[in-house]
Amino acid sequence: MLSACYTLEEYYYTIEEMIAMIDEPNRSVCARILVENRKLFQTVQGSTNNHQAWPGGYFDHVQEIMNIVIILYERLHLARPLPFSLSDALLVVFLHDIEKPWKYELGPNGQLQEKEALKTKAAQHEFRAQKLKEYGIILTPDQQNGMKYGEGEFNDYSNHRRVMNPLAALCHLADVTSARIWFNHPMEQNDPWIGAQRIRE
């Protein structure tokens, strides 16, 4: 029976530090996306209600999920080599919700709501594809699968073949961890993960 006691002291990286871990040519493009849209990213919520639902929550969610993917990648890759790089995973999670800052608007009641044109997953995926094309992001087939299925297989699930590849599965784990386990993190003050904090303009 294993009865080891240990503390996990992980460094909490900034989004800039993690973008620097992404391979070129996408590293420079991701850095440009952040610079050109930083004010927007630090204004919109991570979701309407379910996770990081505060002004700037989108930025916090992306930074959080990138940190989570580093932990998952390092632990799993140590146990059994993974068939993709940390760079691949960081790229996918940085871009996985790229449509969200443009997805919401204030409704008549003053509450955040989805824009009519971006209510369906298909419309969101199309907007995301156009945004990546606009910036010249180049994705491998594995990364494309990660982008498509990083939030789950939905109606594409099949018991005859694996739809979600290993890269998408790891990114999905990181996204679910942020959205459903640590949905209110990083905390405004005294977050247990040393160095983690909500973004301040």
Side-chain angles (χ1 to χ4, degrees):
M1 180 174 158
L2 184 64
S3 58
C5 182
Y6 66 93
T7 57
L8 179 64
E9 294 184 2
E10 293 286 349
Y11 180 77
Y12 196 87
Y13 294 94
T14 66
I15 199 165
E16 292 86 358
E17 289 172 322
M18 292 180 288
I19 287 174
M21 299 176 195
I22 297 172
D23 295 338
E24 291 289 10
N26 288 322
R27 178 196 309 151
S28 296
V29 184
C30 290
R32 184 161 66 91
I33 290 172
L34 180 62
V35 167
E36 292 181 1
N37 299 285
R38 189 180 192 104
K39 185 171 180 61
L40 176 63
F41 291 178
Q42 291 180 313
T43 301
V44 298
Q45 298 180 190
S47 70
T48 49
N49 299 292
N50 289 334
H51 66 86
Q52 287 83 34
W54 54 80
Y58 172 79
F59 185 99
D60 292 326
H61 174 60
V62 173
Q63 186 163 260
E64 181 91 349
I65 191 177
M66 291 176 81
N67 272 285
I68 292 167
V69 98
I70 289 173
I71 289 178
L72 293 174
Y73 185 90
E74 289 179 346
R75 294 299 185 272
L76 295 177
H77 191 64
L78 190 62
R80 296 187 182 110
L82 296 170
F84 53 87
S85 69
L86 176 59
S87 170
D88 292 329
L90 287 170
L91 176 66
V92 169
V93 294
F94 175 72
L95 298 171
H96 82 291
D97 271 343
I98 197 66
E99 76 284 353
K100 270 195 177 178
W102 292 273
K103 176 181 172 183
Y104 300 110
E105 62 186 356
L106 286 178
N109 60 359
Q111 297 297 310
L112 206 61
Q113 65 181 29
E114 289 183 333
K115 292 179 181 175
E116 197 63 39
L118 290 174
K119 277 195 170 178
T120 68
K121 282 291 181 188
Q124 292 161 23
H125 286 179
E126 179 60 28
F127 184 93
R128 183 187 305 164
Q130 288 303 315
K131 189 59 70 175
L132 298 186
K133 183 177 180 182
E134 172 190 332
Y135 275 98
I137 288 284
I138 300 165
L139 298 176
T140 66
D142 272 358
Q143 292 164 354
Q144 289 172 2
N145 183 280
M147 288 292 295
K148 185 171 184 180
Y149 297 114
E151 292 182 320
E153 295 174 342
F154 299 102
N155 293 332
D156 288 348
Y157 170 77
S158 169
N159 62 356
H160 299 294
R161 63 187 178 90
R162 283 183 297 275
V163 174
M164 179 189 289
N165 71 11
L167 173 59
L170 183 77
C171 295
H172 185 51
L173 287 172
D175 190 38
V176 169
T177 300
S178 175
R180 294 297 181 267
I181 299 176
W182 287 335
F183 47 85
N184 60 345
H185 290 275
M187 297 174 70
E188 288 191 77
Q189 300 177 49
N190 304 318
D191 192 285
W193 191 342
I194 304 302
Q197 61 180 358
R198 293 185 189 180
I199 194 66
R200 304 284 197 286
E201 287 194 65

